[in-house]
Amino acid sequence: MTANTDARLAPSQRLSRGLKYTAVGPVDITRGVIGIGAGTVQATASELHRRYESGKLRRQLAAAAQAVAALPEIVQAEIAQETAPAKRRRRPLLIAAVAAAVLAGGAVAFSIVRRSMRPEPSPLPPSVEVTPKP
């Protein structure tokens, strides 16, 4: 006998082997995705650590801290400046008008694309009788 006939699997063995590979496949994929994600996180963390040690990130963080510290003063200055009520009313109306124009343009584009997707009726008569005879 050949090796192929000696290695025949019983149905229960075939079923267990199939279930094993069915279960192992998604697990391997998940482990691979998690491994890639962990590698990316590790590389990002080491790059941030290197940048912090070199001083570039430290300077950026210091500049951001100064900007955050200056925010209350900027907010108070903005509150102190009162703009005319007409300008406040005009801006939301302008935003609403732009949004309406974008929606209308989208609707027109959608209807044009939808019409162009429809097949045109054939000028030839139908090859099969439309009304069946009893």
Side-chain angles (χ1 to χ4, degrees), residues 55-82:
K56 184 176 183 180
L57 185 61
R58 193 178 312 163
R59 288 190 299 274
Q60 290 174 348
L61 289 175
Q66 288 177 351
V68 169
L71 273 177
E73 297 169 3
I74 295 171
V75 169
Q76 288 296 331
E78 289 291 326
I79 291 174
Q81 286 180 341
E82 289 189 323

Side-chain angles (χ1 to χ4, degrees), residues 71-103:
L71 273 177
E73 297 169 3
I74 295 171
V75 169
Q76 288 296 331
E78 289 291 326
I79 291 174
Q81 286 180 341
E82 289 189 323
T83 57
K87 287 185 180 179
R88 287 188 183 199
R89 197 175 308 137
R90 207 176 292 161
R91 184 169 296 185
L93 289 175
L94 178 66
I95 292 172
V98 168
V102 167
L103 286 174

Side-chain angles (χ1 to χ4, degrees), residues 11-89:
S12 61
Q13 291 172 329
R14 188 175 304 279
L15 176 64
S16 65
R17 186 177 73 171
L19 289 175
K20 174 185 165 191
Y21 290 122
T22 300
V24 170
V27 170
D28 284 343
I29 291 171
T30 304
R31 287 179 64 192
V33 168
I34 289 172
I36 290 171
T40 303
V41 167
Q42 182 182 9
T44 303
S46 65
E47 176 65 20
L48 286 175
H49 180 56
R50 187 189 63 76
R51 285 178 55 197
Y52 185 77
E53 290 298 321
S54 71
K56 184 176 183 180
L57 185 61
R58 193 178 312 163
R59 288 190 299 274
Q60 290 174 348
L61 289 175
Q66 288 177 351
V68 169
L71 273 177
E73 297 169 3
I74 295 171
V75 169
Q76 288 296 331
E78 289 291 326
I79 291 174
Q81 286 180 341
E82 289 189 323
T83 57
K87 287 185 180 179
R88 287 188 183 199
R89 197 175 308 137

